[in-house]
Amino acid sequence: EIIIPILKFARMADGRALVAVFSFLALLTANISSQSPQFHQQRVGGAQGMRRVVQGRGTRHARLLSRHRPMPSGAKGKVAISSAVEALERSSVQLNTHSDPRLEKFSIAPMMDYTDRHFRFLLRMITRRAWLYTEMVTAEAIIHGNVDRHLRYHDSIEHPVVLQLGGSNPDSLSKAVGIAKPYNYDVINLNCGCPSQKVSGKGCFGAALMRDRELTRKLCAGMIESAEGTPVTVKCRIGTDNNDSYEELCQFIECLASAGVRHFIIHARIAVLDKNFSPKQNREIPPLRYDYVHRLVKDYPDYTFVLNGGVKTYEEIEEALTHGVAGVMVGREILAQPWYWGDVDRRLFASPNPGLSRREILETYSSYAKEEMKNDPKLGHGTILKPVQNLFVGERGVRKYKQTLSEMGARKAPVDEILKTAVGHIADEDLD
């Protein structure tokens, strides 16, 4: 009742009046935040932009993103708002999204070299309700590397978005969480499931942490303290090698729960660490044990569990949900056929789908990619074009479409020209 008239006035106001209006809104919403311990996000769409209020977080003050005042380049935790991002904001479904991991009904798994902010930008045109995860970022990379390059994201459109961290040093992980805190991720997740030799071998983290419950408990305790109210969750396997009994999994869950973890994403396979398996082999050879996850749901009703591993269709997701899991996480199938998942919002959340055609998605992504490459000279063609590689899987002309992306990308042609040429190989009925 207070905000809407002010926003209508702001639309007509000059620069000085806008500054006063935004200052008043910040004070007003900060005061509201201090009076409620609950998380709440509210979007005000249309030409007035998008307002996202989060209550109960010490550093999460209200912010108003408006077409009148674009975020300056380099702003912490956010990518400068481009015309492509604005277009996506204006088409956003208006809804309340709570940063509560118990609502993680459908999520897209963290995948190295894939779930970067460019792929997440594409995904937000396909689904507004799916929980998105970053690639795993190591604590040391955040402490010693380019923080903004590792942590910045499209704040106005990506939520709910989860930062996944990797590491085995309690002090480093705690420090990394503190550095990441101002970026306002909805949730921070600890990787206890990656079986890669680089991670679980030399790095001694990822799935290797399941062999040392007490160390992992210390990691989680330090992260929770530094997170200052931002939920901390864990993604793990059901065990490793010979440590694969249900009883050992329960001991791991209980140990982390004693540190304050209440939400677990369980890849329902063991991680084979002693046989030099590749990550691909570890995704395919160990048998799936969904029954372990189903038992966890029954035995630990105070905690929530998301099932991961082997799920490829809506029907499989719907069947999994009948066993009481809080949600389902899908990984490689998203990469293989992203367009297939365009019905997630309607089918799993009873919300309207974004409703964009693939032509509209590529037009928006083309504008976005052009601006990203302009702002970041180090950004390669392969990185910016990878998210749209499989957008037309199974359609006529897809081979020439992908060949065009590859060949023109190798020649470093302007990215908008590449996409315009590539899409010419796709039939209108598949684009619209």
Side-chain angles (χ1 to χ4, degrees):
E1 294 172 345
I2 297 174
I3 298 296
I4 300 302
I6 292 175
L7 289 173
K8 289 180 178 178
F9 165 74
R11 188 179 182 185
M12 300 180 292
D14 60 20
R16 288 175 298 177
L18 282 172
V19 171
V21 168
F22 295 149
S23 299
F24 172 74
L25 286 174
L27 288 171
L28 175 63
T29 51
N31 180 59
I32 294 172
S33 298
S34 67
Q35 297 178 38
S36 172
Q38 303 298 319
F39 298 123
H40 177 64
Q41 296 176 345
Q42 178 182 352
R43 297 186 182 217
V44 178
Q48 286 79 21
M50 187 176 75
R51 169 175 167 268
R52 182 169 181 264
V53 180
V54 182
Q55 300 176 352
R57 302 278 182 92
T59 58
R60 282 198 180 191
H61 297 301
R63 64 180 72 87
L64 178 65
L65 299 180
S66 169
R67 290 197 301 158
H68 300 289
R69 290 171 61 98
M71 189 68 66
S73 178
K76 219 172 208 184
K78 306 155 187 77
V79 180
I81 295 179
S82 67
S83 57
V85 176
E86 287 179 348
L88 191 49
E89 285 179 358
R90 290 194 298 272
S91 67
S92 293
V93 177
Q94 295 187 21
L95 48 86
N96 290 331
T97 304
H98 299 258
S99 49
D100 183 342
R102 291 174 298 178
L103 301 177
E104 190 180 341
K105 192 173 185 179
F106 178 81
S107 52
I108 295 170
M111 292 173 281
M112 292 298 295
D113 299 322
Y114 288 100
T115 53
D116 58 18
R117 59 190 175 85
H118 311 302
F119 188 53
R120 299 196 305 268
F121 180 88
L122 177 77
L123 289 175
R124 273 293 174 250
M125 290 186 276
I126 296 172
T127 167
R128 302 280 157 67
R129 298 300 301 272
W131 284 63
L132 305 181
Y133 278 67
T134 68
E135 303 170 273
M136 182 190 70
V137 185
T138 66
E140 302 301 329
I142 291 175
I143 295 170
H144 303 294
N146 185 323
V147 175
D148 210 47
R149 180 175 288 273
H150 288 304
L151 297 181
R152 65 192 175 115
Y153 64 96
H154 309 97
D155 180 72
S156 60
I157 62 172
E158 283 194 43
H159 295 281
V161 58
V162 180
L163 170 64
Q164 187 183 68
L165 296 179
S168 58
N169 183 292
D171 291 336
S172 295
L173 271 169
S174 180
K175 186 175 181 180
V177 170
I179 294 171
K181 177 68 178 175
Y183 286 78
N184 295 319
Y185 281 92
D186 294 286
V187 174
I188 298 174
N189 177 264
L190 176 63
N191 185 327
C192 296
C194 180
S196 164
Q197 287 299 310
K198 292 182 180 179
V199 173
S200 291
K202 296 179 181 179
C204 294
F205 58 101
L209 292 176
M210 295 196 73
R211 292 175 164 176
D212 192 337
R213 294 191 296 269
E214 182 56 29
L215 170 61
T216 310
R217 186 195 67 78
K218 291 179 181 178
L219 298 178
C220 292
M223 292 172 66
I224 289 170
E225 182 178 0
S226 294
E228 298 178 343
T230 299
V232 173
T233 66
V234 166
K235 185 176 188 293
C236 63
R237 295 275 180 136
I238 59 172
T240 64
D241 300 292
N242 295 323
N243 307 109
D244 60 351
S245 70
Y246 178 71
E247 291 69 27
E248 287 170 302
L249 175 60
C250 290
Q251 291 169 7
F252 183 76
I253 297 296
E254 291 172 6
C255 187
L256 302 197
S258 71
V261 180
R262 293 292 181 271
H263 185 77
F264 301 86
I265 299 92
I266 312 289
H267 187 154
R269 291 184 173 94
I270 66 166
V272 178
L273 305 181
D274 293 337
K275 294 184 179 179
N276 200 30
F277 274 20
S278 69
K280 184 175 187 295
Q281 289 174 311
N282 256 306
R283 289 194 303 269
E284 297 175 353
I285 294 178
L288 287 162
R289 294 297 305 270
Y290 291 154
D291 58 305
Y292 275 31
V293 183
H294 300 163
R295 291 174 67 182
L296 288 174
V297 171
K298 294 179 180 179
D299 292 343
Y300 299 96
D302 292 335
Y303 313 146
T304 50
F305 300 93
V306 168
L307 176 69
N308 175 223
V311 178
K312 299 181 179 181
T313 67
Y314 290 113
E315 291 75 18
E316 290 173 349
I317 292 174
E318 290 162 350
E319 197 281 330
L321 293 172
T322 65
H323 294 277
V325 295
V328 175
M329 175 179 279
V330 176
R332 300 287 155 174
E333 287 302 309
I334 297 287
L335 305 179
Q337 46 179 356
W339 184 244
Y340 170 78
W341 301 98
D343 200 26
V344 159
D345 295 356
R346 181 194 66 84
R347 192 155 180 172
L348 299 181
F349 294 94
S351 294
N353 293 324
L356 299 177
S357 68
R358 281 180 282 189
R359 187 192 301 276
E360 292 170 319
I361 287 174
L362 275 182
E363 287 174 351
T364 301
Y365 191 83
S366 178
S367 298
Y368 163 81
K370 182 179 180 180
E371 189 160 345
E372 285 292 304
M373 297 202 73
K374 177 182 177 182
N375 293 334
D376 185 0
K378 294 182 179 180
L379 181 58
H381 280 69
T383 299
I384 200 69
L385 292 172
K386 183 187 290 186
V388 298
Q389 284 276 352
N390 292 329
L391 195 56
F392 296 97
V393 168
E395 310 290 9
R396 293 170 296 170
V398 66
R399 186 181 64 81
K400 290 185 177 179
Y401 167 83
K402 296 177 76 170
Q403 184 179 353
T404 301
L405 294 180
S406 177
E407 292 178 352
M408 294 185 70
R411 297 200 302 268
K412 301 187 184 305
V415 67
D416 54 335
E417 292 184 14
I418 295 175
L419 290 173
K420 183 178 180 180
T421 304
V423 81
H425 298 295
I426 304 298
D428 286 343
E429 56 265 34
D430 295 324
L431 282 169
D432 299 317

